[in-house]
Amino acid sequence: MPVPWWRQRRRAESALADAQSVFDARLAYGERLQQDRVAALEGEIARLGAELAGKDDLVRSVVAEVRHTAATRLPELAMATAHPHVVVPGLRDEQLAGSEIDVSLGQVLDQVRQLVVDERVRGDDAAKAVMRGVMGKLQALHYRQQTFLQGMQERYDHPDVAEDLVRLDELNELNLRLVQGLAVMCGRWPGLARGDSPVQGIVKSAAGRVVGYQRIATPSYHVRGRLGVVARAVEPLAMVLAELLDNALSHSPSNIDIEVEVKHGASGCTFFITDWGLGMEADELARANGLAAGDLALLFTELEGEPPGIGLPVAGAIARQYGLRTVLERAPYSNGLRAAVLVPESLLIMVKEDSVAPNTVSPNVPSPRVPILGDEEPLPVHVSAYTPATGPGGLPQRRGMRARAAAGAAGGVPDAPGAPDPSPAENQSRWAAVQSGTAAGRAAPDQPDHPSEEGQP
């Protein structure tokens, strides 16, 4: 039986409605899926945008940090290598602390610090090498000049000339102390070899090297027997005492004497130098002790002052090299300072009886020099058993020709055998003849040395 046409129509319409329903459902699903994808993409875009913005902020912060390091931290770091009290700034952005950029910049700063320190040391070594050479030559010249002046003091009898020569000798001694101190600071040895010497002679030698030695009170010695110092430490110890005496004299009132005391204890011999100056604050005293003991080593190019003060650095360099111990402290009965130099027992020795000077010391009388050994520059040698006496005013008193002849007969430099002692009048006549002859020679017209050749073409 055939299906009526209206039923077929209803089936077709029902199928079409089902297909339309399926199509609509799929279309709705597609739209939702598209919306979800769009939302996801928009979220990803937002996330990437936020991340990019964060990266941009990090880059800007890193660039600012690098600029801060280059403009501020590196200069302060270079300054801190020479002045430890300078504080190097930290990071500009503290949020970078512990980050990779913080670690990297820290490594850069460490390398720059090491490079600056190495370069300063190399420059200082080069400066010291130059100064060693120059100071060695100057030291040799001053020793020659000293020997020459001492010879002149023995030759000329006129009191005014003798006094001027003594003043020149004192100035030469001051220059020599400065040159010697600079040479030691630059790594050179003191440049003067001396024999085993009594402590009295060392104090006297040190006192003769400073300005205002007249203000040094008579030293007091509390030593056992004929105490002396071994040869290798004599000149270094005299240099240290001279620097401390000069420091004490420079910072004390001109109407008060400097006290010097020497005591021999169980652990060694100690030289005390007490002044009545203004003293130092606690931080200054700590720094001075570091310099004097050699614990605070300074580069030669880091000396402070105008002109640079080298007294304590010289004392520290010598103390560190020769095993001396130098301490500065407040004076017990004033605001001044008391410097103590301990010479260990290993550097002490008992000297012969004839080499011990009297207990009363005249500081203005220089101790005799002995040959200089082992120096690159051949320094002059002046050995004399003759010791000038002291006259009024603390100045060495000259000796006439007869006195020198007597000294030569006693073991000093002998005069020519049979030569009569010239009187002052004879010396004046001889020098007048020399001067008149020199003046006549200079005033004479120039003449050819070989007249026979004058007429030759």
Side-chain angles (χ1 to χ4, degrees), residues 231-274:
R232 68 177 184 278
V234 171
E235 182 63 17
L237 176 59
M239 292 179 62
V240 173
L241 294 179
E243 297 299 338
L244 295 177
L245 285 173
D246 182 72
N247 183 68
L249 289 168
S250 301
H251 294 86
S252 295
S254 58
N255 58 341
I256 298 180
D257 292 342
I258 302 301
E259 300 175 359
V260 178
E261 187 177 14
V262 183
K263 290 185 177 180
H264 185 198
S267 59
C269 182
T270 305
F271 297 75
F272 295 98
I273 299 173
T274 305

Side-chain angles (χ1 to χ4, degrees), residues 31 34 76 96 163 186 222 271 276 278 322 367 374 378 397:
E31 289 179 352
Q34 184 178 4
E76 294 297 326
L96 295 176
E163 183 175 353
C186 295
H222 306 278
F271 297 75
W276 296 77
L278 296 176
Y322 290 90
S367 61
Q397 190 176 25

Side-chain angles (χ1 to χ4, degrees), residues 138-157:
L138 286 177
Q139 199 172 356
L141 292 175
H142 280 293
Y143 280 131
R144 292 192 181 100
Q145 183 171 328
Q146 185 180 55
T147 303
F148 184 71
L149 288 174
Q150 289 177 351
M152 292 181 67
Q153 292 173 22
E154 297 176 6
R155 284 200 304 273
Y156 297 111
D157 296 335

Side-chain angles (χ1 to χ4, degrees), residues 128-326:
K128 284 182 178 178
V130 174
M131 291 295 292
R132 277 197 302 271
V134 175
M135 292 301 108
K137 294 183 181 300
L138 286 177
Q139 199 172 356
L141 292 175
H142 280 293
Y143 280 131
R144 292 192 181 100
Q145 183 171 328
Q146 185 180 55
T147 303
F148 184 71
L149 288 174
Q150 289 177 351
M152 292 181 67
Q153 292 173 22
E154 297 176 6
R155 284 200 304 273
Y156 297 111
D157 296 335
H158 197 284
D160 294 338
V161 175
E163 183 175 353
D164 291 343
L165 290 176
V166 170
R167 298 301 181 193
L168 289 175
D169 193 20
E170 291 176 357
L171 293 176
N172 183 73
E173 195 69 40
L174 298 179
N175 292 333
L176 182 58
R177 182 169 67 88
L178 176 62
V179 171
Q180 198 177 19
L182 289 173
V184 170
M185 275 207 64
C186 295
R188 187 182 173 86
W189 77 298
L192 183 64
R194 304 177 66 174
D196 299 339
S197 301
V199 294
Q200 294 90 337
I202 298 174
V203 173
K204 183 175 65 175
S205 175
R209 307 180 186 191
V210 297
V211 178
Y213 54 80
Q214 299 89 343
R215 291 165 46 205
I216 299 177
T218 302
S220 61
Y221 299 95
H222 306 278
V223 299
R224 297 189 296 270
R226 301 176 293 278
L227 184 67
V229 178
V230 296
R232 68 177 184 278
V234 171
E235 182 63 17
L237 176 59
M239 292 179 62
V240 173
L241 294 179
E243 297 299 338
L244 295 177
L245 285 173
D246 182 72
N247 183 68
L249 289 168
S250 301
H251 294 86
S252 295
S254 58
N255 58 341
I256 298 180
D257 292 342
I258 302 301
E259 300 175 359
V260 178
E261 187 177 14
V262 183
K263 290 185 177 180
H264 185 198
S267 59
C269 182
T270 305
F271 297 75
F272 295 98
I273 299 173
T274 305
D275 66 62
W276 296 77
L278 296 176
M280 294 182 178
E281 298 296 334
D283 55 340
E284 295 175 334
L285 186 59
R287 175 178 171 78
N289 268 310
L291 291 174
D295 299 332
L296 183 59
L298 289 180
L299 295 178
F300 184 72
T301 53
E302 294 178 348
L303 294 176
E304 298 178 351
E306 188 67 34
I310 65 170
L312 293 180
V314 168
I318 294 176
R320 187 173 58 250
Q321 184 176 357
Y322 290 90
L324 307 178
R325 183 183 176 188
T326 305

